[in-house]
């Protein structure tokens, strides 16, 4: 889908100059692609790219989770537990925009416990691109990231149980990946307007 600067500027209440700057950042992060003489478009990850992103996410999350188990303290664990309570409240409500804003937040906050800012930045960029994959290839009526799995991961981290935490996270990521249908027909069946709506909902 093409990204008209005037429409986006009006939506967010900003100038076209600001929109151009934002689009340049998104292009650098592979969220947007520019086509010569045609303008900027929402990137459409292909099947191969989608699988590569999921593999990268898994590697990053499991590595950072291992470090998080070594660094987690009661205060940080309590903050993650509060986040799961918020997740349950939001998922029980019909507010789709709130659910979109919540997507990936637990994973970022958990990864933050690793203390590695470089790995965290990489994970955030990968998760942003996976948002496109999710928008294009998720099964219709697929559920959002679940608080139950998150709670089990937190419990293992609180115990300092690296093996248990990694097993729970691997199971959780398997579940998320199984909600995707990685074929071209699935990608083409989704209106890419939904992709832009997901990103605008996160602002």
């Amino acid at each position: 889908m093409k990204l008209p600067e005037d429409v986006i500027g009006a939506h967010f209440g900003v100038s076209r100059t600001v929109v151009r700057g934002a689009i340049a950042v998104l292009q650098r992060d592979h969220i947007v692609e520019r086509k010569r003489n045609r303008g900027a478009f929402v990137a459409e990850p292909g099947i191969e790219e989608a699988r590569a992103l999921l593999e990268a996410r898994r590697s990053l999350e499991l590595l950072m989770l291992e470090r998080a188990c070594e660094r987690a303290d009661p205060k940080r664990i309590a903050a993650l537990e509060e986040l799961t309570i918020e997740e349950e409240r939001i998922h029980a409500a019909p507010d789709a925009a709130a659910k979109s804003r919540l997507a990936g937040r637990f994973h970022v906050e958990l990864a933050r416990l690793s203390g590695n800012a470089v790995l965290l930045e990489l994970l955030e960029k990968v998760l942003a691109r996976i948002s496109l994959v999710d928008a294009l290839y998720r099964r219709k009526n697929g559920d959002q990231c679940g608080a139950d799995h998150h709670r089990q991961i937190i419990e293992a981290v609180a115990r300092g149980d690296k093996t248990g935490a990694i097993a729970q996270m691997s199971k959780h990521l398997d579940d998320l990946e199984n909600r995707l249908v990685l074929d071209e027909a699935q990608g083409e069946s989704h209106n890419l307007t939904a992709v832009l709506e997901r990103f605008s909902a996160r602002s």
Side-chain angles (χ1 to χ4, degrees), residues 109-121:
E109 293 306 317
L110 179 60
R112 201 182 300 280
L113 297 187
S114 71
N116 190 314
V118 175
L119 288 177
L120 179 61
E121 181 182 4

Side-chain angles (χ1 to χ4, degrees), residues 133-171:
V133 173
D134 187 66
L136 284 167
Y137 300 108
R138 186 197 294 177
R139 298 177 190 276
K140 291 182 179 179
N141 302 319
D143 295 332
Q144 297 281 345
C145 201
D148 288 343
H149 286 172
H150 293 173
R151 188 172 291 104
Q152 292 165 2
I153 294 167
I154 293 171
E155 289 172 357
V157 172
R159 296 193 303 268
D161 179 5
K162 291 183 183 180
T163 301
I166 288 172
Q168 290 294 341
M169 179 62 83
S170 295
K171 180 180 177 182

Side-chain angles (χ1 to χ4, degrees), residues 32-86:
V32 167
E33 58 184 24
R34 282 195 177 276
K35 298 180 181 179
R36 181 175 293 182
N37 300 325
R38 294 183 59 195
F41 292 77
V42 177
E44 298 180 55
I47 304 301
E48 197 171 320
E49 181 180 352
R51 288 179 175 143
L53 286 166
L54 294 172
E55 181 181 359
R57 173 189 187 166
R58 184 178 291 265
S59 297
L60 286 168
E61 291 224 51
L62 295 182
L63 174 60
M64 299 178 81
L65 180 59
E66 210 175 327
R67 294 171 181 264
C69 288
E70 300 169 355
R71 294 171 52 87
D73 57 45
K75 184 177 180 181
R76 289 174 169 177
I77 293 297
L80 287 172
E81 289 173 342
E82 288 179 9
L83 183 53
T84 64
I85 293 172
E86 182 183 359

